[in-house]
């Protein structure tokens, strides 16, 4: 039996692992997809205190190495359920194994929102992508589109503009949600064409994406542009569905205050999957520390 099982190896989960291991707790951390989570998709992190600039990938690898060197046991297995309770102990079931735990930290964060249109799943990996830093290099010298109006979309457009011939930055409103400094850079970039207020309504192509249809939000007019890739960056949705039966949720987010305590004693939540206002790298790391120290207290009290 592990003292603490952490579900999700993003910045919140791996920060929790660092704190849990440094407190001497045996710690198992499950990850379904990619160590680092969403931050791996960020080309440059420039707002983490004391680190002026670092790629999201390097940030994630540094965290992984730090937690791993401290003795956290990583398992690349998707968790499907948490069973048991604080009295009898928890059983965290993945698709391949079951780990018993005295306390559990859910740090599954969020996953990319899909547009929900025809061909989106079929053309994913064939021109449709949710990660510019992962897939941008495949489209050197081509014309591509980015869909979204937040920091991720604008950062993706700026990153891609260094690689591709042209970037269409498509957003459903004329005003961007992204920080002004980023939007100003995009507006000033000759390789970026801002296309608003429009939404992507259709994806064309048999073996690979060849064009996208857009609908104008003001007059409903449909247009089509030829592109080799569409990078979808329209935000995230929480990834806590497997835990709906064990912890209280609000619109898919796990309900907890700044103490990271869920409705179930012994189960804690850290990171973007928690009900909160600010979802940033700094607050994910902060949640990881708070949840881990609360879980450590819980384990000590139950000994
Ligand atoms: P976000 O801030 O939630 O922005 C999502 C964008 O997608 C919004 O512009 C939204 O439009 C649009 N959108 C949402 N649903 C849509 C739909 N169904 N169809 C079309 N458009 C849709 O997401 P994000 O950019 O991924 O950022 C997530 C969080 O990470 C934010 O807090 C962000 O500040 C942070 N972040 C920070 C950095 C950084 O500081 N360097 C980098 C990346 C991300 P509306 O604007 O009209 O709602």
């Amino acid at each position: 039996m592990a003292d603490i099982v952490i579900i999700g190896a993003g910045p919140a989960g791996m920060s929790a692992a660092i704190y849990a291991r440094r407190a001497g707790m045996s710690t198992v951390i499950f990850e379904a997809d990619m160590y680092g989570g969403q931050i791996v998709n960020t080309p440059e992190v420039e707002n983490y205190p004391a680190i002026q600039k670092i790629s999201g990938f390097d940030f994630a690898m540094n965290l992984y190495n730090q937690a791993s060197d401290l003795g956290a046991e990583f398992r690349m297995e998707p968790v499907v359920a948490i069973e048991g309770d604080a009295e009898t102990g928890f059983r965290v079931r993945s698709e391949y194994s079951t780990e018993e735990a005295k306390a559990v930290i859910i740090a599954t964060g969020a996953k990319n929102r899909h547009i929900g249109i025809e061909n989106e799943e079929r053309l994913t990996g064939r021109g449709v992508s949710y990660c510019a830093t992962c897939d941008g290099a495949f489209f050197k010298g081509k014309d591509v589109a980015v869909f979204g109006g937040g920091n991720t979309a604008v950062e993706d457009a700026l990153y891609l503009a260094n690689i591709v011939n042209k970037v269409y930055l498509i957003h459903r409103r004329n005003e961007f949600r992204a920080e002004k400094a980023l939007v100003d850079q995009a507006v000033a970039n000759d390789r970026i064409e801002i296309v608003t207020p429009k939404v992507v309504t259709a994806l064309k192509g048999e073996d690979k994406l060849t064009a996208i249809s857009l609908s104008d939000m003001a007059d409903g007019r449909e247009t089509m542009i030829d592109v080799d890739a569409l990078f979808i960056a329209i935000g995230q949705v929480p990834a806590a569905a497997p835990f709906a039966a064990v912890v209280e949720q609000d619109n898919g987010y796990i309900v907890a205050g700044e103490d990271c305590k869920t409705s179930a004693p012994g189960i804690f939540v850290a990171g973007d999957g928690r009900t909160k206002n600010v979802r940033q790298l700094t607050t994910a790391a902060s949640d990881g520390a708070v949840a881990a120290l609360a879980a450590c207290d819980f384990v000590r009290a139950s000994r």
Side-chain angles (χ1 to χ4, degrees):
M1 177 184 276
D3 289 323
I4 299 174
V5 166
I6 299 166
I7 308 170
M14 291 199 283
S15 299
I18 290 167
Y19 274 77
R21 282 302 301 145
R22 285 174 59 82
M25 298 286 158
S26 59
T27 306
V28 175
I29 178 164
F30 284 90
E31 169 57 43
D33 192 11
M34 192 161 43
Y35 299 132
Q38 301 278 336
I39 196 61
V40 171
N41 300 345
T42 301
E44 303 284 0
V45 176
E46 294 182 355
N47 55 5
Y48 197 85
I51 301 177
Q52 281 187 326
K53 194 188 259 199
I54 187 169
S55 75
F57 181 83
D58 286 346
F59 187 92
M61 285 306 107
N62 287 351
L63 258 179
Y64 172 82
N65 290 332
Q66 195 174 358
S68 182
D69 289 352
L70 282 164
E73 180 190 332
F74 283 82
R75 288 197 203 159
M76 191 47 94
E77 300 174 15
V79 168
V80 292
I82 302 171
E83 295 165 350
D85 55 36
E87 296 293 308
T88 58
F90 298 101
R91 290 178 304 284
V92 177
R93 277 205 300 115
S94 82
E95 282 183 3
Y96 312 111
S97 67
T98 299
E99 183 65 46
E100 295 186 339
K102 294 173 188 160
V104 178
I105 299 173
I106 301 172
T108 44
K111 58 186 180 206
N112 295 313
R113 176 179 285 122
H114 290 205
I115 308 171
I117 56 176
E118 208 179 332
N119 295 333
E120 188 173 357
E121 311 304 322
R122 185 175 66 79
L123 291 173
T124 294
R126 298 164 178 223
V128 172
S129 170
Y130 300 85
C131 179
T133 47
C134 313
D135 300 329
F138 296 127
F139 302 97
K140 193 162 186 268
K142 308 277 191 186
D143 291 351
V144 306
V146 173
F147 184 30
N151 280 338
T152 303
V154 180
E155 282 189 353
D156 283 357
L158 290 165
Y159 172 78
L160 291 164
N162 291 321
I163 301 169
V164 304
N165 177 56
K166 175 162 187 168
V167 183
Y168 296 96
L169 176 54
I170 301 155
H171 177 38
R172 65 184 176 184
R173 294 184 294 128
N174 289 324
E175 299 76 33
F176 279 82
R177 183 177 295 273
E179 288 169 16
K180 185 178 179 304
L182 284 172
V183 178
D184 288 348
Q185 283 180 54
V187 169
N189 192 307
D190 289 342
R191 286 184 195 266
I192 299 176
E193 181 178 330
I194 311 265
V195 184
T196 61
K198 293 187 196 294
V199 289
V200 178
T201 50
L203 307 169
K204 311 285 181 190
E206 288 304 317
D207 298 336
K208 62 186 182 67
L209 184 75
T210 53
I212 56 176
S213 296
L214 306 179
S215 175
D216 192 289
M217 296 296 280
D219 58 20
R221 208 163 53 90
E222 293 278 332
T223 48
M224 196 184 293
I225 50 175
D226 293 338
V227 286
D228 287 286
L230 172 67
F231 293 91
I232 299 167
I234 56 172
Q236 288 84 35
V237 287
F243 318 116
V246 282
V247 286
E248 185 189 345
Q249 299 192 359
D250 178 4
N251 273 325
Y253 291 94
I254 296 173
V255 175
E258 293 301 317
D259 60 7
C260 296
K261 291 180 180 169
T262 71
S263 58
I267 303 182
F268 305 84
V269 59
D272 284 1
R274 178 168 78 82
T275 48
K276 59 178 177 175
N277 291 327
V278 182
R279 295 192 170 85
Q280 293 282 308
L281 200 48
T282 43
T283 59
S286 161
D287 272 12
V290 172
L293 294 176
C296 292
D297 284 346
F298 183 85
V299 170
R300 282 190 206 102
S302 64
R303 271 176 182 159

